[in-house]
Amino acid sequence: MADAKVIPFDDDRPRARRRPARAEGEAAAVRALPGPKEALEEPAEAPAPGPGPETAVDGGSGWERRLAGGLAFLRRRITGEYEVDEFGYDEELTDQVLMSLLRPLYEKYFRVEVKGVENIPAEGGALIVANHSGTLPLDGLMMQVAVHDHHPAGRHLRLLAADLVFVLPVVNELARKAGHTLACAEDAERLLRSGEIVGVMPEGFKGIGKPFGERYKLQRFGRGGFVSTALRAGVPIVPCSIVGAEEIYPMLGNAKTLARVLGFPYFPLTPTFPWLGPLGALPLPTKWTIQFGEPIPTDSYAPEAAEDPMLMFNLTDQVREQIQHTLYKLLVQRRSVFF
């Protein structure tokens, strides 16, 4: 059985398989599912008058086309006839499976409302900078669905994730397949220069693991490394504010000793976890809003500007203040945590 070739992100050998669509402007290499004409051939003769309600105009019913497309997808997975990029990103699997699994949570459970998605460029690289919260990083996944499903150009978001994500079994493989990569400047810059939309949450564990009493108060944005990366790549920075994630797991305490034993940055104590066991890990069905702000251009700065600490500080503060101001505005506008 053939296997898809996966090139690890930290391999220093020459990259044999780059994404030609990004690097050389050619068509994307990932195969799309077969369309109606590929999945089911046209009938040799015209259909009889008065077709039944389940018969499609092109001679094939919708469920037959879906079945044929699904079988073709399975065949490609089994035979290894699919493409992954140098980071392990599997676009077909993400579009057909992973997004389909996240979409019910996005649409039905959190009922996410998206604003300002048109502020994300239709082409070329851009860095989306968002607040981080919720005890578990569901906010990043919901932001990924928002860009995937609502952007007019159908763009994909590549998230930068912490080291912990890539040492957890199963989670590591799924994260790579979904396009996530290590949160380091080199990987981020390479993605941005190849024209990708990259998402980063500079608060890191300080934001996602903060107590419930400090909800919607942004933590420090590190040393502004994301600004330096955007400056070197010459891409705009798009601030993003997420409301609703803070309340899915109200973190009332932190079992620090247990966290150290398990190797976690924190071990949350919520009103339901760990007291109710696995049931306590179910997030509360809060109502979410994700708003993408006006992009901050960086292409007007000289290349050496990335080494200017004062400029990085000013731009970092500008992005942080814009996110914080939008968070306060969205909190005033929302009617309820759950509606």
Side-chain angles (χ1 to χ4, degrees):
M1 180 188 304
D3 293 322
K5 183 177 181 183
V6 179
I7 305 177
F9 76 98
D10 56 353
D11 193 346
D12 291 328
R13 294 171 297 178
R15 308 293 185 181
R17 297 179 67 175
R18 298 275 181 177
R19 298 183 66 188
R22 304 303 185 192
E24 302 173 10
E26 299 176 4
V30 179
R31 295 178 176 87
L33 288 179
K37 292 185 179 180
E38 298 174 15
L40 191 65
E41 296 182 355
E42 296 281 352
E45 299 179 0
E54 294 182 354
T55 302
V57 175
D58 63 353
S61 61
W63 71 267
E64 288 177 327
R65 291 197 301 276
R66 289 193 294 271
L67 177 61
L71 291 175
F73 172 78
L74 290 175
R75 177 185 60 78
R76 288 195 294 276
R77 308 314 297 186
I78 293 173
T79 60
E81 297 178 5
Y82 58 92
E83 298 287 338
V84 296
D85 72 1
E86 60 184 296
F87 296 94
Y89 174 44
D90 189 332
E91 186 173 340
E92 182 185 50
L93 182 69
T94 299
D95 289 348
Q96 302 298 329
V97 178
L98 301 182
M99 288 295 108
S100 298
L101 294 175
L102 291 173
R103 200 165 285 122
L105 191 66
Y106 175 92
E107 295 179 348
K108 305 298 183 183
Y109 198 79
F110 294 134
R111 295 146 290 146
V112 181
E113 179 183 359
V114 180
K115 300 179 179 180
V117 71
E118 66 279 359
N119 288 319
I120 302 174
E123 58 183 17
L127 183 65
I128 297 179
V129 181
N131 60 303
H132 207 13
S133 62
T135 305
L136 291 181
L138 295 179
D139 50 359
L141 298 177
M142 296 301 101
M143 185 169 65
Q144 190 174 9
V145 179
V147 175
H148 182 277
D149 286 3
H150 293 278
H151 194 278
R155 306 214 60 181
H156 295 78
L157 178 64
R158 307 290 295 270
L159 289 170
L160 303 180
D163 300 17
L164 179 62
V165 172
F166 300 105
V167 299
L168 296 175
V170 182
V171 174
N172 171 31
E173 290 297 323
L174 289 176
R176 292 223 175 269
K177 293 290 187 182
H180 306 174
T181 191
L182 191 66
C184 67
E186 292 77 11
D187 285 359
E189 186 175 349
R190 198 156 75 242
L191 285 169
L192 291 169
R193 288 187 181 278
S194 64
E196 298 285 357
I197 300 293
V198 177
V200 63
M201 295 171 163
E203 292 176 281
F205 291 124
K206 300 189 301 295
I208 196 174
K210 63 178 175 287
F212 187 65
E214 297 180 15
R215 60 192 181 278
Y216 298 115
K217 296 178 181 178
L218 293 183
Q219 305 299 299
R220 192 172 68 90
F221 270 22
R223 300 177 182 177
F226 69 92
V227 171
S228 177
T229 301
L231 286 169
R232 283 195 295 268
V235 300
I237 301 173
V238 181
C240 177
S241 302
I242 304 174
V243 165
E246 292 277 16
E247 294 90 1
I248 61 173
Y249 295 111
M251 186 168 164
L252 304 180
N254 178 15
K256 295 182 180 180
T257 302
L258 186 56
R260 283 195 297 270
V261 171
L262 297 175
F264 295 158
Y266 55 86
F267 189 88
L269 303 176
T270 75
T272 58
F273 182 83
W275 329 115
L276 299 183
L279 185 62
L282 186 68
L284 296 178
T286 57
K287 175 74 170 63
W288 288 34
T289 301
I290 299 178
Q291 180 162 334
F292 299 96
E294 291 285 340
I296 300 172
T298 65
D299 53 357
S300 61
Y301 296 99
E304 57 271 16
E307 309 301 327
D308 184 347
M310 185 57 67
L311 176 61
M312 283 197 298
F313 174 81
N314 290 336
L315 286 177
T316 300
D317 191 57
Q318 181 182 350
V319 174
R320 188 180 181 278
E321 287 301 316
Q322 187 169 335
I323 295 173
Q324 185 70 81
H325 176 75
T326 304
L327 285 174
Y328 288 149
K329 183 175 67 175
L330 293 174
L331 288 171
V332 170
Q333 293 174 351
R334 75 171 177 176
R335 297 176 299 170
S336 161
V337 172
F338 299 101
F339 304 103

